Amino acid sequence: MEFLDRYQQIVAEAITKYTFKDKPAELYDPMNYIISHGGKRLRPIMVLMACDLFGGDLRQAIKPALAIEFFHNFTLIHDDIMDEAPLRRNKPTIHTLHGINVGILSGDGLMLKAYKFFEDLEPEIFKACIRIFTHTGLLLCEGQQYDINFETQEDVTYDDYIRMITYKTGVLSASSFEIGALIAKANFKDAKAIFNFGKHIGIAFQIMDDYLDVFGDQAQFGKKHAGDIYENKKTILYLLAREHATEEERKELDHWYGKKTDNIDKVYGVEKIFRRTKVDEKALRLIEKHNEIGQSYLAKINIPEDKKKPFAELANYLLRRES
């Protein structure tokens, strides 16, 4: 997709331009390290895409787009610490290389730098973007706490899970689109429609993440295979398996999810139940469902269809992703 390459180039050039040169290097080098890994940089691209959609000036959106990227990477650093994850994007995580203290500090530094990147916006847009940005951050923390709670909570429901991933993943994509729309001075109705498009695409993206954790190619995915199983995370795969498992299989799931262990038998046992209950197929259907809901919000925006086409293409691209 040429449009995606163009936005990625804009983001990459901006990241190079705003590389941290502050001191002490022990704090800022790890921040540059995770930012330089790249990934697909989808969330800052979402800011730029929404700004473009509503006829805004991309130059005004570049620094807020980087703010989203900095904030996202701050969450990844802290998430990796909490999950004791050794890899991120196929490279050693910051706390693995530099220790937990540096991981915490560099994550905090990225969050605070993110706030500074909104400062050039005109006052009313600045206030609106900061309000959304701060609320998004709080929801993300709530989602992360729910995720942690689920590791020991026995009665996690499907609605509990959807709320958790909406807060933890969906709202950041949604807010990225909304901030781009606000910078372009889109009206309230359209800004909310692009927000809801992003929310449901974000939900689908997280379900795909859960799916790939078990059924994806580890070399392409860049994370420890079945890390969610090791961590007792009650993902959509677990919930669907419990719903469709036999009584004996539920007892086996309870056994494995009742202990945190690196025992490979745990992964084999849980994966066997996942495959028998066909949770991979069921998860993929849910991904398509949320894609369709997202597309319905996109259709409500009163903008020529050719301008909305990249958003539909982006959503379809995300749901076909392998890493």
Side-chain angles (χ1 to χ4, degrees), residues 213-214 226-232 257 266-267 270-271 274:
D213 180 74
V214 174
D228 290 342
I229 295 175
Y230 284 114
E231 295 294 325
N232 294 336
Y257 278 77
K266 174 179 181 175
V267 175
V270 172
E271 281 192 14
F274 283 180

Side-chain angles (χ1 to χ4, degrees), residues 7-230:
Y7 288 122
Q8 284 178 330
Q9 183 64 28
I10 292 170
V11 174
E13 289 174 0
I15 284 173
T16 299
K17 178 179 179 180
Y18 294 106
T19 296
F20 302 121
K21 299 179 177 67
D22 315 57
K23 301 295 182 182
E26 292 80 4
L27 173 66
Y28 289 100
D29 285 353
M31 293 160 62
N32 287 326
Y33 171 79
I34 191 166
I35 293 293
S36 69
H37 287 175
K40 295 182 176 67
R41 292 171 173 158
L42 295 170
R43 292 154 192 87
I45 286 172
M46 291 171 181
V47 177
L48 300 180
M49 286 181 67
C51 184
D52 249 352
L53 178 66
F54 296 105
D57 184 347
L58 275 191
R59 291 172 297 180
Q60 295 178 7
I62 287 172
K63 288 178 77 173
L66 286 193
I68 296 291
E69 180 69 356
F70 291 173
F71 180 82
H72 174 58
N73 280 276
F74 141 69
T75 67
L76 298 183
I77 294 171
H78 284 199
D79 200 38
D80 288 339
I81 291 171
M82 285 183 262
D83 289 346
E84 300 178 4
L87 293 176
R88 168 70 62 180
R89 298 166 184 154
N90 270 331
K91 295 183 182 293
T93 48
I94 285 178
H95 71 275
T96 301
L97 292 173
H98 302 285
I100 290 175
N101 289 346
V102 170
I104 293 170
L105 283 174
S106 59
D108 292 346
L110 273 177
M111 179 185 68
L112 294 168
K113 285 286 189 180
Y115 272 94
K116 289 184 66 62
F117 269 50
F118 287 102
E119 291 176 352
D120 293 346
L121 296 173
E122 58 186 75
E124 287 304 311
I125 295 176
F126 171 82
K127 285 166 62 178
C129 288
I130 288 295
R131 183 174 64 249
I132 293 165
F133 188 66
T134 302
H135 183 58
T136 297
L138 288 170
L139 288 179
L140 196 146
C141 289
E142 291 175 17
Q144 180 71 357
Q145 186 61 57
Y146 281 126
D147 195 18
I148 293 168
N149 291 353
F150 290 175
E151 292 179 22
T152 54
Q153 182 179 326
E154 293 184 7
D155 56 341
V156 177
T157 67
Y158 174 77
D159 289 341
D160 291 334
Y161 167 83
I162 292 296
R163 177 179 60 181
M164 183 271 288
I165 66 169
T166 299
Y167 288 4
K168 188 176 174 182
T169 302
V171 293
L172 187 56
S173 298
S175 297
S176 298
F177 282 126
E178 186 175 18
I179 285 171
L182 290 176
I183 292 170
K185 299 181 179 178
N187 63 52
F188 178 81
K189 182 179 177 182
D190 285 343
K192 282 303 170 189
I194 201 69
F195 173 92
N196 282 311
F197 167 77
K199 181 177 78 171
H200 285 281
I201 296 308
I203 290 170
F205 186 87
Q206 183 58 51
I207 296 175
M208 179 63 86
D209 208 60
D210 292 350
Y211 167 87
L212 290 171
D213 180 74
V214 174
F215 297 104
D217 184 320
Q218 183 186 0
Q220 292 181 319
F221 196 34
K223 294 182 183 178
K224 178 180 179 180
H225 173 70
D228 290 342
I229 295 175
Y230 284 114

